Amino acid sequence: MKWYPWLTAPYRQWVGQQTAGRGHHALLLHSLPGNGEEALIYGISRWLMCQQRQGEKSCGECHSCRLMLAGNHPDWYVLAPEKGKNSIGVELVRQQIEKLYSHAQQGGAKVVWLPHAESLTDAAANALLKTLEEPPEKTYFLLDCHQPASLLATLRSRCFYWHLACPDTALSLQWLQRQIPAEPISMLAALKLSEGAPLAAERLLQPELWAIRTALCSALSSALNSSDLLSLLPQLNHEDAPERLQWLSSLVLDALKWQQGAGEFAVNQDQLPLVQQLAQMATTPILLHSAKALGHCRHQLLSVVGVNRELLLTELLLNWESALTAGSYSTSL
């Protein structure tokens, strides 16, 4: 698995705690998506499994290291939703726990990785509590989580919480420059849109996806000039509509910053003319309500099963169009 330069310091910190006897058997790693958390978890797992550690590094040569590199170590368990499911059920957790009480096949540590701990059902989380509190010898749990607030408080209390912060902007930009050809201003905008997560920014900068965002920005400018916000529907009515709504929300919030004289803090640094256009065409109350409406629509798309996406987006755009024309919103969320 690929390693990233901003992971070295947190990796050394965690390994240092373990070697100093201050480590914890259950780690709850909180990070933004696209921050390289999977690589960090894998690196920690390799160190725990290694039979001939070289200080803070795994040797890469012992039998356990070779099994980890091959991806088939019998004592490294990945607890993830079964194919076609979005959650980890109680039966899957019970089956995993039963395996942990048998002797390690390689005679060393046993590691359980939960890539998306939020996917545990309440019943599954409760089934895991006892083992987290009193784990078998040399057993470690590595929980990767993007929304720790969604976990049971009792589960969080049994883990060592660790926040993996995004790297410094300068470091992230240097890394992005080595990964993908793009304008520096585009890299900065992608990084800001990704909340500072470098891997998420790299994904956004892929030519096909970046072109979609650029086209949406251009379409919004034209729609504002023609007072026809409904013309954005073809751009938005896709499976990735939540991401595109997030792009629009960031532009609206940037327009609010511009109105308050804080344009230097805008996220969309490559779209400042559009930000200014929005700021000039809409009042502060309209922009505030627009941001709220966009967020509400995005939440419904992400959380309501079977929602009519086209109808929801149509209502959003028509209300937004009416508000810009009338100078105020006539409906409320």
Side-chain angles (χ1 to χ4, degrees):
M1 186 173 288
K2 190 175 181 180
W3 188 254
Y4 306 103
W6 59 87
L7 299 178
T8 301
Y11 170 83
R12 288 174 173 171
Q13 180 185 354
W14 189 89
V15 169
Q17 290 176 345
Q18 291 292 324
T19 54
R22 300 193 305 271
H24 198 283
H25 67 276
L27 171 67
L28 176 58
L29 183 65
H30 173 206
S31 71
L32 287 172
N35 213 12
E37 64 281 358
E38 292 185 358
L40 178 59
I41 291 286
Y42 178 76
I44 289 173
S45 298
R46 279 192 56 183
W47 185 83
L48 288 170
M49 292 292 196
C50 182
Q51 297 168 340
Q52 299 174 13
R53 296 171 188 162
Q54 299 174 354
E56 63 186 23
K57 296 181 179 180
S58 52
C59 69
E61 299 294 333
C62 69
H63 187 52
S64 283
C65 281
R66 289 197 295 271
L67 287 172
M68 286 294 291
L69 288 169
N72 56 9
H73 198 299
D75 299 318
W76 189 53
Y77 304 99
V78 180
L79 189 55
E82 296 174 310
K83 188 176 181 179
K85 295 185 178 181
N86 296 320
S87 61
I88 301 174
V90 64
E91 286 303 319
L92 193 61
V93 170
R94 286 173 177 164
Q95 292 171 14
Q96 182 63 75
I97 291 173
E98 187 176 345
K99 296 177 184 176
L100 296 177
Y101 283 94
S102 59
H103 185 70
Q105 295 189 40
Q106 295 301 311
K110 289 171 283 187
V111 177
V112 181
W113 175 31
L114 279 77
H116 303 286
E118 304 98 323
S119 59
L120 286 166
T121 64
D122 286 352
N126 282 317
L128 190 60
L129 290 178
K130 178 69 174 176
T131 308
L132 279 177
E133 190 170 359
E134 299 178 7
E137 186 180 3
K138 293 184 180 180
T139 299
Y140 299 88
F141 294 87
L142 306 176
L143 285 69
D144 175 11
C145 185
H146 297 147
Q147 297 175 323
S150 64
L151 295 176
L152 291 179
T154 47
L155 184 69
R156 296 198 305 268
S157 68
R158 285 164 173 77
C159 300
F160 174 72
Y161 172 83
W162 191 14
H163 179 245
L164 179 62
C166 291
D168 179 76
T169 299
L171 175 61
S172 296
L173 290 174
Q174 289 174 8
W175 181 81
L176 283 171
Q177 288 169 0
R178 295 193 295 269
Q179 306 305 312
I180 189 166
E183 294 293 328
I185 194 70
S186 297
M187 290 186 182
L188 180 60
L191 194 60
K192 287 176 175 287
L193 283 166
S194 305
E195 301 181 76
L199 299 183
E202 181 192 20
R203 168 190 166 273
L204 179 54
L205 283 167
Q206 295 302 313
E208 184 177 351
L209 185 55
W210 194 250
I212 291 172
R213 173 185 170 269
T214 302
L216 178 60
C217 291
S218 178
L220 175 59
S221 180
S222 298
L224 290 171
N225 286 330
S226 62
S227 298
D228 182 15
L229 271 295
L230 190 58
S231 64
L232 292 175
L233 185 60
Q235 300 273 354
L236 294 176
N237 191 21
H238 292 268
E239 289 188 0
D240 60 354
E243 182 174 24
R244 301 186 187 193
L245 288 174
Q246 188 67 31
W247 295 343
L248 289 181
S249 295
S250 70
L251 288 164
V252 171
L253 293 173
D254 281 349
L256 283 165
K257 296 172 189 174
W258 194 273
Q259 288 182 346
Q260 304 306 314
E264 68 271 23
F265 298 107
V267 168
N268 298 275
Q269 291 290 326
D270 63 328
Q271 296 290 337
L272 291 183
L274 176 56
V275 170
Q276 294 175 49
Q277 184 182 5
L278 266 171
Q280 292 166 1
M281 294 188 66
T283 64
T284 297
I286 287 180
L287 289 175
L288 286 169
H289 198 116
S290 299
K292 183 179 179 182
L294 286 162
H296 180 69
C297 182
R298 181 174 182 273
H299 176 73
Q300 286 184 295
L301 289 174
L302 290 171
S303 60
V304 180
V305 178
V307 68
N308 188 320
R309 183 178 64 214
E310 183 173 359
L311 184 61
L312 196 65
L313 291 169
T314 299
E315 181 182 20
L316 168 76
L317 294 172
L318 286 175
N319 285 339
W320 196 6
E321 182 180 307
S322 297
L324 289 173
T325 303
S328 65
Y329 267 89
S330 58
T331 60
S332 60
L333 297 179

